[in-house]
Amino acid sequence: MTDRTDQPLAAARPETTAPAPSGRLRPATAPGRTDPAFSTPRRWPRSFADRLTTPLPGLRALARFTREGAGRPAPADLREIPHLPFAPGPLPEAGADTVAVTWAGHASWVVRIGGLTVLTDPVWSRRIFGTPARVTPVGVAWSALPRVDAVVISHNHYDHLDAPTLRRLPRDTPVFVPAGLARWFHRRRFTRVTELDWWEGVTLRGVRLDFVPSHHWSKRGLTDTCRTLWGGWVLTDPRGRKVYFAGDTGYGHWFAEIGARHPGIDLALMPIGAYEPRWWLKDVHTNPEEAVRATEDLGARRMAPMHWATFLLSAEPVMEPLHRVREAWRRSGRPPEDLWDLAVGASAVL
C-alpha cells in the first residue's frame, strides 16, 4: 500500500496482510460499505464475542472471586512499592532512521519509529475509573513529548483508553483503533480516526501500522461487552524494522500466527503483570513465563516488559513480575541483553 501523505489519513484504505485462517476467525470486514474511505463509518457486527479465545467468566466465577477477595496484593507486599523501578530521563534523539521506545508506565509507550512519534494506549492520569491510583508517576512528562504523530489503541478498557489523557491531544491527531471504536473518538471530535479489523493495516508517512489479534475482550459500560474489538499492533519502519505492541492479552495461538505473518520482529512490548489469581486472569493476562514464551512464538529478538509497576490491578506481590520475567528469560537461554527490563521513564534504542 502506498503512503497517503497528500490526503487526510481518514481516506486511507485498509489492506489485509493475508487471508484469515479458516476455522479460527470470522472476518468482520465491511462488505456493505459503499465508500472505502475511513471517514465513512464502517459496518461491523453488533458483537465480537465470537472472537473470544475462551468464554468470559460467569456468575459462579464472579461469586468465587468476590468471596475470596484476592484482587489486590497483600498488605505486606505493598511495602515493596518504594522499590518499583522509576528512572525518568530525557527522550533519546530520534531521526528517521531511529527506532526508540520509552516506557511511560503500564501499557503506555512513546515509540519513535521512521521519524514518527507514536503513543500506545496513552494513560497520563493519576487515577482511572475503578482502579487504585498509580503507584509510580508517569515516566514522561506530557510537556516533554514531541509532537505526537499517531496514537494506537489496543482496546477500550479504562486502563488503556483514558479520556482525560486523550483530551490533551489536538483533535486532528491520527488515531488508530480496533473495529467499532471510531465512534467513541468521533463523539470527542477527533477527525482522523482509522478503525481496523484483525490483519488489516495502513501506512502513515512510510510507517506501516498493522492491527493483529490478542487473547482478550472489551467492555466499558454495563451493556457493551465485546461490542468493540481488541488486539495489538505491529509497527514497521521503511527499513523493515518492527516493534510489536501486545496491548492486553492472555497466552494462546495468536502469537505464532502473528510471527508467521510478520516475521523478523525486532522488539516485543509484552505484558507481564496483573495475573493473580491465576484461575481468574489466565485467559486474559499473560504471566511473566507466558510473556517470554509468547516472545519466542512471535520469533521476536527482544522483549520489553510492561503492564506492571503502575496500577496494582491484581494480587501478585508488587515486585514479583520483574523477578519472574528475569528468571524465565534466563531459563530460556536467550541473551540477557535482549531483555529490556526498563524502569518506568527509561528508554532504549535499537
Side-chain angles (χ1 to χ4, degrees), residues 25-31 42-45 48 51 179 197 200 229:
L25 171 64
R26 187 179 71 190
T29 53
R42 299 180 69 180
R43 296 181 182 176
W44 301 107
F48 292 95
R51 308 289 187 94
D197 197 356
E200 289 183 341
L229 197 51

Side-chain angles (χ1 to χ4, degrees), residues 204-345:
L204 174 64
R205 288 159 48 190
V207 175
R208 174 82 181 188
L209 302 97
D210 285 280
F211 188 54
V212 296
S214 69
H215 301 273
H216 206 61
W217 64 303
S218 68
K219 183 180 179 66
R220 199 167 175 87
L222 295 176
T223 61
D224 65 345
T225 302
C226 297
R227 294 286 180 85
T228 63
L229 197 51
W230 52 90
W233 294 89
V234 177
L235 310 182
T236 307
D237 78 354
R239 293 173 53 184
R241 293 174 296 182
K242 300 175 183 178
V243 176
Y244 166 68
F245 168 64
D248 217 351
T249 182
Y251 180 77
H253 66 277
W254 286 126
F255 296 108
E257 182 135 6
I258 292 166
R261 294 181 184 234
H262 297 279
I265 293 172
D266 294 279
L267 172 64
L269 309 177
M270 292 296 304
I272 65 167
Y275 52 80
E276 292 290 347
R278 204 73 198 114
W279 68 267
W280 176 253
L281 292 168
K282 67 181 179 64
D283 294 326
V284 294
H285 289 161
T286 50
N287 64 22
E289 293 78 16
E290 290 167 336
V292 172
R293 183 180 174 189
T295 300
E296 294 174 338
D297 293 349
L298 289 162
R301 177 176 174 182
R302 305 169 185 86
M303 170 182 155
M306 65 172 183
H307 207 266
W308 80 285
T310 309
F311 298 105
L312 301 182
L313 303 176
S314 56
E316 70 269 8
V318 172
M319 287 293 294
E320 183 181 275
L322 181 61
H323 300 323
R324 285 177 57 172
V325 78
R326 286 173 172 172
E327 176 60 19
W329 193 265
R330 185 193 66 78
R331 291 199 309 268
S332 75
R334 299 168 69 96
E337 63 271 18
D338 288 343
L339 177 64
W340 288 4
D341 48 353
L342 301 178
V344 175

Side-chain angles (χ1 to χ4, degrees), residues 4-5 49 66 74 92 108 110 120 139-140 179 250 258 260 279 287 300 312 331:
R4 302 260 186 123
T5 56
T66 303
S108 302
V110 183
T120 69
V140 182
I258 292 166
W279 68 267
N287 64 22
L312 301 182
R331 291 199 309 268

Side-chain angles (χ1 to χ4, degrees), residues 56-315:
L56 295 174
L59 291 177
R60 181 176 297 181
L62 181 61
R64 175 185 172 185
F65 179 78
T66 303
R67 183 173 64 252
E68 293 180 356
R72 294 289 182 271
D77 295 326
L78 297 178
R79 297 171 188 164
E80 297 181 331
I81 289 176
H83 301 291
L84 289 170
F86 180 70
L91 294 176
E93 295 292 329
D97 292 332
T98 304
V99 177
V101 295
T102 304
W103 190 30
H106 202 52
S108 302
W109 293 85
V110 183
V111 181
R112 319 287 292 283
I113 183 168
L116 302 183
T117 297
V118 182
L119 300 186
T120 69
D121 289 359
V123 178
W124 260 249
S125 298
R126 179 176 177 271
R127 185 182 294 275
I128 54 177
F129 179 74
T131 302
R134 64 195 308 145
V135 293
T136 50
V138 182
V140 182
W142 189 263
S143 60
L145 289 173
R147 173 182 172 179
V148 176
D149 298 295
V151 172
V152 296
I153 300 294
S154 64
H155 65 300
N156 72 353
H157 287 160
Y158 281 86
D159 59 321
H160 294 258
L161 180 63
D162 183 50
T165 298
L166 293 165
R167 280 199 294 268
R168 299 184 178 194
L169 292 167
R171 295 306 185 267
D172 62 350
T173 303
V175 181
F176 300 87
V177 303
L181 199 51
R183 182 177 299 178
W184 189 92
F185 283 87
H186 288 152
R187 288 200 301 265
R188 288 155 180 82
R189 300 184 179 180
F190 282 87
T191 60
R192 303 177 72 190
V193 184
T194 303
E195 58 182 354
L196 298 176
D197 197 356
W198 289 349
W199 309 123
E200 289 183 341
V202 294
T203 301
L204 174 64
R205 288 159 48 190
V207 175
R208 174 82 181 188
L209 302 97
D210 285 280
F211 188 54
V212 296
S214 69
H215 301 273
H216 206 61
W217 64 303
S218 68
K219 183 180 179 66
R220 199 167 175 87
L222 295 176
T223 61
D224 65 345
T225 302
C226 297
R227 294 286 180 85
T228 63
L229 197 51
W230 52 90
W233 294 89
V234 177
L235 310 182
T236 307
D237 78 354
R239 293 173 53 184
R241 293 174 296 182
K242 300 175 183 178
V243 176
Y244 166 68
F245 168 64
D248 217 351
T249 182
Y251 180 77
H253 66 277
W254 286 126
F255 296 108
E257 182 135 6
I258 292 166
R261 294 181 184 234
H262 297 279
I265 293 172
D266 294 279
L267 172 64
L269 309 177
M270 292 296 304
I272 65 167
Y275 52 80
E276 292 290 347
R278 204 73 198 114
W279 68 267
W280 176 253
L281 292 168
K282 67 181 179 64
D283 294 326
V284 294
H285 289 161
T286 50
N287 64 22
E289 293 78 16
E290 290 167 336
V292 172
R293 183 180 174 189
T295 300
E296 294 174 338
D297 293 349
L298 289 162
R301 177 176 174 182
R302 305 169 185 86
M303 170 182 155
M306 65 172 183
H307 207 266
W308 80 285
T310 309
F311 298 105
L312 301 182
L313 303 176
S314 56

